[in-house]
Amino acid sequence: MAAAAPWPGLWAAGTGAAAAALLFLLLLLLLLLLSRWRRRRAGGAGRVCVAVLGDLGRSPRMQYHALSLARHGRQVALLGYLQTRPHRDVLRCQNIRLVPVAELSGLRVGPKLLQYVLKVLVQSVQLLYTLLRIDQPSYILLQNPPGLPSIAVAWVAGLWWGSKLIIDWHNYGYTIMSLSHGRSHPLVLTAKWYEKLFGRLSDYNLCVTDAMKKDLWVNFKIKAVTLYDKPASHFKETPLDLQHSLFMKLAKDYEPFKPRAVSPSADRSAFTERDGSSTVRKPRGRPALLISSTSWTEDEDFSVLLRALEDYERFIEEGAKLPALVCVITGKGPLKDYYNGLIQKLHFRHIQICTPWLEAEDYPLLLGSADLGVCLHKSSSGLDLPMKVVDMFGCCLPVCAIHFECLHELVKHNENGLIFRDSQELAKQLKMLFLDFPSLEGKLPSFREKLRVSQQLRWDQSWDHTVLPLLGSKE
């Protein structure tokens, strides 16, 4: 039974004409398809388009897809915005061609609703134009979200090329929109109806958790295969000499990485030093390094971490044997300036906070050098898992993660990390984990050792087992 539009009110708000124009465009394209269908040349063998209507540099899973396809001899068109430089393995791969989509600007005219409709229309034309200019692919592998308008556009392009459409469901776009607008907002209801309708037009579907796989079937009648996020091979523990090089590099720009005391040795950071024999070691009394990464969006409340750090500072003032703390929060996003403003109002004596943006190659090195990771990702749908924790586990970095519905599929409380529900619980966990730091006994080293011996699957193994059978042998 076809899904029905969730409400009639939006058309009365002035978008009926825009929707009619979009429908007319789709009908015109379908007519063109019918006229072309009989004479469409066979082709696309061995070619795949991997597409995301977002920043490629901040879409690691889609980069991993491209690299895995290229490893199996496919020619890959990796399509998206080039706001952030992709990983160097992607840039160096001869089988991967970057296909940039131009970013939109200058649409901030009129009411917000009209701006959004215009944005969707322009993105539709823009994305379709880009998809029809690439070499004919056998498959289009599309990230969702964002799915509006990319799912419908990718489906139309697939009809044109005779390509199969694969949707990789990372989350639901409508649940992300609901964080800003509420679940009953007309735009949110439209996005849900849209994802439900056009999601069924795909040939194959991937998703990131078993909980999402079940939800897609129960609520959308979409069959999906679970492909868990797994760390790539470059996420691993960082050797001491590379840690020192990274810390010295970061010390040039960020005060928390500089040594606390004046030292006759110029070859020293806050966490490492190189002696006369060129041996790198971690000095006694060094601070602990806590790291969290974020997209600075509504689904991560960093005030939880800031309140926990205030409690941690109080524990030290009350005499607890805890180390000084350097808290590094990496990433880009719309709420970064807001939280930086909150951070500047804090006056810590034993804690330093910095919010750098790291190059793609430096991020895994920093994870592999840290003492503890903190994850504040709270899924908008309750059905996706934080990839940052996957990467931390790949680096054998213990994690404290905030609770949400399906987190247990990744973080096993008291086995490979800890789960907390509020700032007070996080503060108590930080106190317990860092007591008598850097002792080789206690929960923190125990978690790290368990991660070392777990021998978890890496991305390449998981991808070959799950996705490669969907594609069959190379044509």
Side-chain angles (χ1 to χ4, degrees):
M1 182 175 178
W7 87 101
L10 185 59
W11 306 109
T15 59
L22 180 58
L23 180 61
F24 175 79
L25 177 63
L26 290 175
L27 289 174
L28 180 61
L29 287 169
L30 287 174
L31 288 174
L32 290 172
L33 287 171
L34 290 174
S35 66
R36 174 182 164 88
W37 187 259
R38 288 179 177 269
R39 57 190 178 85
R40 180 178 57 82
R41 64 180 178 83
R47 289 194 290 269
V48 180
C49 175
V50 177
V52 53
L53 197 60
D55 184 5
L56 287 176
R58 296 165 66 190
S59 304
R61 182 172 165 108
M62 304 314 285
Q63 294 184 64
Y64 295 168
H65 277 305
L67 288 167
S68 294
L69 288 161
R71 181 167 52 85
H72 285 279
R74 306 276 179 153
Q75 297 295 318
V76 180
L78 182 55
L79 184 152
Y81 299 141
L82 290 180
Q83 298 166 332
T84 307
R85 185 171 65 89
H87 195 275
R88 62 185 174 192
D89 290 347
V90 171
L91 298 175
R92 293 174 179 175
C93 183
Q94 294 183 347
N95 283 359
I96 298 176
R97 180 172 68 92
L98 296 180
V99 181
V101 177
E103 296 179 55
L104 293 180
S105 61
L107 293 178
R108 300 182 182 277
V109 179
K112 287 187 177 181
L113 182 59
L114 178 60
Q115 291 178 24
Y116 184 77
V117 172
L118 287 174
K119 178 182 177 182
V120 169
L121 287 172
V122 174
Q123 282 183 326
S124 299
V125 175
Q126 189 180 43
L127 181 59
L128 184 60
Y129 175 78
T130 306
L131 283 168
L132 296 184
R133 283 176 57 86
I134 63 174
D135 292 330
Q136 180 182 357
S138 299
Y139 299 90
I140 298 174
L141 174 53
L142 177 72
Q143 173 183 306
N144 181 72
L148 182 65
S150 55
I151 298 178
V153 174
W155 174 69
V156 171
L159 286 179
W160 177 265
W161 289 124
S163 310
K164 291 184 177 181
L165 175 61
I166 306 172
I167 300 178
D168 190 2
W169 297 81
H170 296 195
N171 200 346
Y172 296 140
Y174 78 90
T175 63
I176 294 176
M177 291 176 67
S178 72
L179 294 175
S180 301
H181 302 292
R183 288 189 175 263
S184 60
H185 192 280
L187 282 177
V188 176
L189 295 175
T190 295
K192 183 177 182 179
W193 166 78
Y194 169 89
E195 284 182 290
K196 187 174 184 178
L197 175 65
F198 284 94
R200 295 174 184 171
L201 300 177
S202 58
D203 296 281
Y204 303 108
N205 293 275
L206 306 172
C207 62
V208 294
T209 64
D210 283 337
M212 179 171 282
K213 174 183 176 180
K214 180 179 179 181
D215 189 80
L216 280 166
W217 175 245
V218 171
N219 294 315
F220 285 27
K221 293 298 181 282
I222 292 174
K223 290 184 178 180
V225 176
T226 302
L227 175 65
Y228 282 111
D229 283 321
K230 297 293 182 182
S233 57
H234 51 268
F235 284 96
K236 56 190 175 184
E237 289 187 85
T238 306
L240 264 178
D241 58 337
L242 288 181
Q243 288 188 33
H244 182 65
S245 297
L246 175 66
F247 292 147
M248 295 299 290
K249 174 182 176 181
L250 293 173
K252 296 176 182 178
D253 298 311
Y254 302 104
E255 187 69 26
F257 289 93
K258 296 179 181 179
R260 298 296 180 273
V262 177
S263 170
S265 171
D267 202 0
R268 182 178 181 181
S269 71
F271 308 97
T272 54
E273 61 183 12
R274 191 186 299 275
D275 61 23
S277 62
S278 296
T279 301
V280 175
R281 67 184 184 89
K282 293 186 176 182
R284 294 183 62 183
R286 70 176 178 90
L289 178 56
L290 182 150
I291 185 168
S292 185
S293 58
T294 177
S295 298
W296 297 109
T297 52
E298 290 90 347
D299 58 358
E300 292 176 298
D301 182 2
F302 265 83
S303 63
V304 173
L305 176 58
L306 299 182
R307 288 195 298 269
L309 293 178
E310 289 180 309
D311 288 343
Y312 186 90
E313 175 88 359
R314 179 171 52 81
F315 295 152
I316 296 179
E317 297 289 349
E318 291 173 352
K321 294 182 179 179
L322 296 169
L325 197 61
V326 171
C327 177
V328 178
I329 308 172
T330 70
K332 287 182 180 178
L335 296 181
K336 184 172 183 177
D337 289 342
Y338 167 75
Y339 281 109
N340 271 332
L342 295 182
I343 291 169
Q344 290 171 7
K345 295 177 182 178
L346 300 172
H347 300 287
F348 291 134
R349 293 180 56 202
H350 307 282
I351 299 172
Q352 291 178 288
I353 304 174
C354 66
T355 57
W357 169 252
L358 300 174
E359 295 293 334
E361 291 75 30
D362 288 340
Y363 177 61
L365 293 178
L366 187 59
L367 288 187
S369 307
D371 298 300
L372 180 67
V374 171
C375 175
L376 292 160
H377 173 83
K378 213 168 187 178
S379 170
S380 62
S381 64
L383 300 172
D384 70 304
L385 293 173
M387 194 166 188
K388 65 199 73 179
V389 173
V390 174
D391 295 336
M392 289 173 181
F393 281 170
C395 294
C396 299
L397 178 63
V399 171
C400 294
I402 196 165
H403 174 270
F404 63 89
E405 187 175 344
C406 69
L407 184 63
H408 64 275
E409 292 190 35
L410 178 61
V411 181
K412 315 294 183 184
H413 185 66
N414 260 331
E415 293 183 22
N416 58 7
L418 296 173
I419 296 174
F420 61 91
R421 294 177 181 270
D422 54 37
S423 62
Q424 292 181 334
E425 193 170 4
L426 174 58
K428 291 176 181 177
Q429 291 177 359
L430 295 179
K431 181 179 181 181
M432 182 266 291
L433 292 173
F434 286 130
L435 202 61
D436 296 324
F437 177 88
S439 171
L440 296 179
E441 298 178 357
K443 283 285 188 182
L444 196 60
S446 173
F447 287 152
R448 189 181 292 274
E449 189 57 34
K450 286 179 181 178
L451 290 168
R452 284 172 179 156
V453 301
S454 64
Q455 297 181 343
Q456 59 178 311
L457 282 178
R458 293 285 168 163
W459 171 268
D460 287 343
Q461 298 166 294
S462 180
W463 193 93
D464 288 356
H465 177 75
T466 305
V467 182
L468 194 58
L470 299 179
L471 306 179
S473 59
K474 181 181 173 184
E475 295 91 336

